[in-house]
Amino acid sequence: MSLEGRSVAAAASLPMRRFDAVIVGAGGAGMRASLQLAEAGLSVAVLSKVFPTRSHTVAAQGGIGASLGNMSEDHWLWHMYDTVKGSDWLGDQDAIEYMCRQAPRVVYELEHFGMPFDRNADGTIYQRPFGGHSANFGDKPVQRACAAADRTGHAMLHTLYQRNVRARTQFFVEWMALDLVRNADGEVLGVVAYEMETGDVWILQSKVTVLATGGAGRIFAASTNAFINTGDGLGMVARAGIPLEDMEFWQFHPTGVAGAGVLITEGVRGEGGILLNANGERFMERYAPNLKDLASRDVVSRSMDQEIKEGRGVGEHKDHLLLKLDHLGPEVIMKRLPSIREIAIKFANVDPIREPIPVVPTIHYQMGGIPTNIHGQVVVPRDGHHNTPVPGLYAVGECACVSVHGANRLGTNSLLDLLVFGHSAGGHIVAQNYPAQAHRDLPRDAGDAPRARLARLDAATSGESVPEIANTLRKVMQSHCGVFRNQELLAEGVSKVMAIAEQVAHTAIKDKSKVFNTARVEALELDNLIETAKATVVSAEARHESRGAQARSDYPERNDADWLKHTLWYRDGNRLDYKPVNLKPISVDSFPPKARTY
Amino acid sequence: MKFRIYRYDPEKDAKPYYQDYDVALAPTDRMLLDALMRLKAQDDSLAFRRSCREGVCGSDAMNINGKNGLACITNLKDVKEPVELRPLPGLPVVRDLIVDMSPFFKQYHSIKPYLVNDTPPPEKERLQSPEDREELNGLYECILCACCTTACPSFWWNPDKFVGPAGLLNAYRFIADSRDQDLEARLDNLDDPYRLFRCYTIMNCTDVCPKGLNPALAIGKIKGLMVKRAV
Ligand SMILES: Cc1cc2nc3c(=O)[nH]c(=O)nc-3n(C[C@H](O)[C@H](O)[C@H](O)COP(=O)(O)OP(=O)(O)OC[C@H]3O[C@@H](n4cnc5c(N)ncnc54)[C@H](O)[C@@H]3O)c2cc1C
Ligand code: SF4
Ligand code: SF4
Ligand code: FES
């Protein structure tokens, strides 16, 4: 039954609608969760800044990791080992066990929903090799990435949308959530949201709120992320007093198109593509003798950076490397990597059937995010417990940190993360029987803070330009928080970012129209970019070790004695706290930390 | 570089008008969307949709020098100056280059865009031969950008009745799926003088699809099935 008649919140005098559940985000994670809620008969509102199939999950290319064993023997425990090792032991082993065990089930389910996976001759799902995935605990590469050509994310996102159409999920398209509504007890009671077409601000009251707002790669200048990936969920929780976990860990993908940022999937190397330096040398043989070009991403990106630093880069400025795949032959390229060819032709001016693609490590994925448990509940330290659930709040997908990716995510494990934890959060929410519960009263000041932000923007007649500040922020993050980091760079980065944060409070936009005001949307996004950037650079400066994607030239070694722990960043006072890594799986023996070689 | 852009903000403009822009580009600006972002930094009131900037999300479809396309994969080298930009034709304009897509999505939703198979699924995947899977190529890649449908004269005249090329291509995507069991109902749903048969094979759709898909071919296949079913 739906209770969504339009009414006005007495306290807040904003128009209001009521639902059992509000989900912010219609990417893979949000739509996997919404499906379950809609099918269970909850009244659900799914908000998205863009039409659901335009969410950035659509851009994922390579595949979904699951030990189906369709190509050769495979086992979830091997997948688990690879993921723990890939995470440089910062991943929580209970969550990793849960994800890897659930993987086959959620992939089969997606197939049943209609996902157009590529097929083997025997009719089973085609799987390709991917970086860091191995058989028998690191022995040799294994084909574990379930793929739909090089459009896996597109196929998955459309399939999930289609299934939601079937379930009659209610979407609020081009609605932007601005802030959480929280009461004095810390319970989350819904969101304040901005309807782009009309410029109206609403309170969407709910018994449970799920954040699924995706990545925030737009805090960096060179990024594989879409324009809309601005870390809105991170900004929302940070402003609500909830910490962000492990934000120093950002993955550089080895192969973004040089100059353009557009991604070339690791699946290219999975299918046999290799990286070359200016001397035509396959340099990965030196850095990772065993898995070579298919070592984990942090290792490959660092090796590439090293090659460039030592003068073996390609091009006029010796600033990139080459990805060669012509030896795969036109047939494999056209069949397995058709979009990659399109991208290379469009964005790099080369046809990979004949010439190599110029590539460079490019920001791609945030391992950190909103701290959650395996049910997707957002958790915070409270009364001596490290992981106490915040009532009424869940987070899933790239904006969440369960943590299954630790300090470095393996390729194909994100799409998997969306499916597994979208599913588990959905199941956990359904089990709470929210339809039988009443809505809590809204606090008197519900909606005041975001309304004040909007009012300031409307009143400002002069001030800082939003695109200029955003660009400055991206440049600072790129040069102070890149592949290689050190104290001096980071400390300077912190003070620059804090100075930019001051400017963010003084932006102005010229466009004051209520109708589809994209300048206003960008200004509101900047409020989230800045929180994300602060969390990142402050956490990175404090972590005095190298682990996974955080590579510090002044602390080149991993330091388990002092740093085998998760960072928690609080917006208030820019404060840091830490909590232990869970090294204890659910049912199997722990994989104790050891040196990481590929 | 010179631009001539359709402007309309219902809040302040009595009617639409064209605005001329001249924008200095950086050497790294390759695509039309790069130029639009530069324009927007100069005039923040210019409204358009964009997200992925790589031709996969379908946000930034617009009419570029008279032809529908995606700004993010339209190379600046390939467009004549002044570049005339208009919103997609045939849909209500919300503001500037932003159109109301709901008539388009309503037609997409009308074709039951999801797999129908009521047999209990096996424990593992449903099997599908590579040949059967091949049938979905050229169909499942549709990004719902609406370039095709808003280039189709039949849709302009009957947006509420004619499903349009994107909807029909997607209808065929499920008809062609060896795992789908709803063939008869899918054909019934389209067996109507308007829904399917308003297509007069004008081919505009196939001409403009930025993903190189061929809706006209898919429509031809549905028509073929209708004929086969009738005899
Ligand atoms: C180019 C590329 C290729 C990739 N390839 C792979 C791969 O092969 N395998 C793999 O496992 N992973 C891959 N990844 C990573 C993976 O695709 C992403 O991590 C994942 O898709 C994120 O999904 P999500 O559901 O969390 O977020 P998204 O899909 O980004 O969705 C976020 C949603 O939140 C909405 N939203 C955001 N803010 C707001 C707000 N304020 N109000 C309302 N709505 C909001 C957006 O509109 C959107 O609907 C790739 C990533 C990129 C960028
Ligand atoms: S072929 Fe049919 S659908 Fe395509 S443009 Fe022509 S009339 Fe429209
Ligand atoms: S068929 Fe092509 S033009 Fe039409 S909506 Fe799909 S991708 Fe766009
Ligand atoms: S911005 Fe996504 S298709 Fe152009």
Side-chain angles (χ1 to χ4, degrees), chain A residues 420-453:
Chain A
V420 169
F421 295 105
H423 178 269
S424 76
H428 199 262
I429 291 168
V430 169
Q432 309 306 308
N433 195 13
Y434 282 110
Q437 300 172 29
H439 283 94
R440 310 278 157 103
D441 291 337
L442 293 174
R444 293 190 65 81
D445 63 353
D448 284 0
R451 268 202 302 184
R453 282 198 280 144

Side-chain angles (χ1 to χ4, degrees), chain A residues 568-586:
Chain A
L568 294 174
W569 172 84
Y570 289 83
R571 177 174 184 262
D572 274 347
N574 235 342
R575 180 167 67 85
L576 292 175
D577 192 4
Y578 294 89
K579 69 177 183 182
V581 174
N582 188 352
L583 295 172
K584 210 170 128 29
I586 301 168

Side-chain angles (χ1 to χ4, degrees), chain A residues 203-281:
Chain A
I203 290 187
L204 302 183
Q205 191 182 5
S206 65
K207 302 167 190 172
V208 59
T209 301
V210 183
L211 296 174
T213 54
R218 283 281 153 181
I219 63 167
F220 288 91
S223 166
T224 65
N225 280 205
F227 285 115
I228 61 166
N229 287 15
T230 50
D232 295 359
L234 308 180
M236 288 167 71
V237 301
R239 285 189 295 274
I242 295 164
L244 297 177
E245 180 173 344
D246 292 342
M247 287 301 294
E248 60 271 48
F249 298 102
W250 280 85
Q251 178 163 79
F252 286 81
H253 194 291
T255 54
V257 173
V262 177
L263 180 82
I264 300 290
T265 176
E266 196 166 275
V268 169
R269 282 169 287 136
E271 298 287 347
I274 56 173
L275 290 162
L276 301 177
N277 62 19
N279 306 330
E281 180 205 4

Side-chain angles (χ1 to χ4, degrees), chain A residues 453-493:
Chain A
R453 282 198 280 144
L454 282 165
R456 187 195 69 73
L457 274 177
D458 281 344
T461 48
S462 69
E464 310 279 351
S465 137
V466 172
E468 264 172 42
I469 298 189
N471 281 335
T472 310
L473 177 67
R474 293 189 243 278
K475 280 194 197 125
V476 167
M477 289 302 290
Q478 192 80 23
S479 47
H480 289 271
C481 220
V483 176
F484 280 102
R485 305 170 172 179
N486 64 44
Q487 192 60 33
E488 201 187 326
L489 267 182
L490 287 166
E492 222 179 290

Side-chain angles (χ1 to χ4, degrees), chain A residues 421-561:
Chain A
F421 295 105
H423 178 269
S424 76
H428 199 262
I429 291 168
V430 169
Q432 309 306 308
N433 195 13
Y434 282 110
Q437 300 172 29
H439 283 94
R440 310 278 157 103
D441 291 337
L442 293 174
R444 293 190 65 81
D445 63 353
D448 284 0
R451 268 202 302 184
R453 282 198 280 144
L454 282 165
R456 187 195 69 73
L457 274 177
D458 281 344
T461 48
S462 69
E464 310 279 351
S465 137
V466 172
E468 264 172 42
I469 298 189
N471 281 335
T472 310
L473 177 67
R474 293 189 243 278
K475 280 194 197 125
V476 167
M477 289 302 290
Q478 192 80 23
S479 47
H480 289 271
C481 220
V483 176
F484 280 102
R485 305 170 172 179
N486 64 44
Q487 192 60 33
E488 201 187 326
L489 267 182
L490 287 166
E492 222 179 290
V494 171
S495 54
K496 285 186 179 169
V497 169
M498 294 314 289
I500 295 172
E502 278 301 307
Q503 294 177 298
V504 170
H506 302 284
T507 51
I509 52 172
K510 292 197 198 78
D511 187 357
K512 306 289 184 194
S513 175
K514 297 258 295 171
V515 183
F516 226 116
N517 187 328
T518 47
R520 188 179 286 146
V521 169
E522 286 179 30
L524 293 165
E525 288 174 337
L526 182 58
D527 289 340
N528 301 317
L529 285 171
I530 191 68
E531 300 304 336
T532 310
K534 273 156 56 182
T536 300
V537 68
V538 170
S539 304
E541 189 211 7
R543 183 174 284 270
H544 291 177
E545 66 159 352
S546 291
R547 181 187 298 273
Q550 155 111 334
R552 295 200 41 160
S553 47
D554 45 355
Y555 299 98
E557 301 300 323
R558 193 176 81 198
N559 175 352
D560 288 333

Side-chain angles (χ1 to χ4, degrees), chain A residues 86-97:
Chain A
S87 83
D88 219 348
W89 276 272
L90 194 72
D92 290 319
Q93 295 193 19
D94 57 336
I96 295 175
E97 175 181 340

Side-chain angles (χ1 to χ4, degrees), chain A residues 51 53-54 56 58-59 61 70 108 111-125 148-149 151 154-155 158 161-162 165-166 174 197 218 223-228 260-262 342 346-347 349 467 509-511 513-519 522, chain B residues 9-11 30-31 33 37 40-42 44-54 56-59 72-73 75 77 94-95 98 101 105 108-109 113-115 121-130 133 136 140-145 173-174 177 179 211:
Chain A
F51 185 78
T53 61
R54 317 218 188 284
H56 206 48
V58 81
Q61 300 171 351
N70 285 353
Y108 291 140
E111 193 282 325
H112 300 156
F113 293 167
M115 170 90 170
F117 282 115
D118 286 0
R119 300 291 173 151
N120 297 308
D122 64 358
T124 55
I125 294 169
R151 305 185 182 97
H154 164 93
H158 280 257
Y161 177 68
Q162 291 157 359
V165 170
R166 178 176 177 269
E174 293 171 334
E197 189 176 330
R218 283 281 153 181
S223 166
T224 65
N225 280 205
F227 285 115
I228 61 166
V262 177
E342 233 179 274
K346 290 214 163 85
F347 288 92
N349 247 337
I509 52 172
K510 292 197 198 78
D511 187 357
S513 175
K514 297 258 295 171
V515 183
F516 226 116
N517 187 328
T518 47
E522 286 179 30
Chain B
D9 176 355
E11 208 174 83
R30 171 187 293 268
M31 300 295 181
L33 183 60
M37 297 301 283
K40 183 154 180 71
Q42 188 177 301
D44 70 7
S45 73
L46 177 65
F48 54 91
R49 294 186 175 103
R50 84 286 179 271
S51 181
C52 72
R53 60 85 173 86
E54 57 183 86
V56 295
C57 78
S59 294
C72 63
I73 51 172
N75 200 304
K77 285 199 315 259
V94 176
R95 176 175 175 180
I98 296 178
M101 299 276 287
F105 286 122
Y108 173 68
H109 292 147
Y114 45 83
L115 191 85
E123 213 160 281
K124 296 188 168 181
E125 66 267 60
R126 290 199 163 98
L127 299 180
Q128 183 173 49
S129 71
R133 167 62 181 76
L136 307 183
Y140 84 95
E141 302 93 324
C142 171
I143 61 172
L144 300 177
C145 65
R173 179 249 170 273
F174 291 99
D177 196 320
R179 299 167 296 175
K211 302 308 284 181

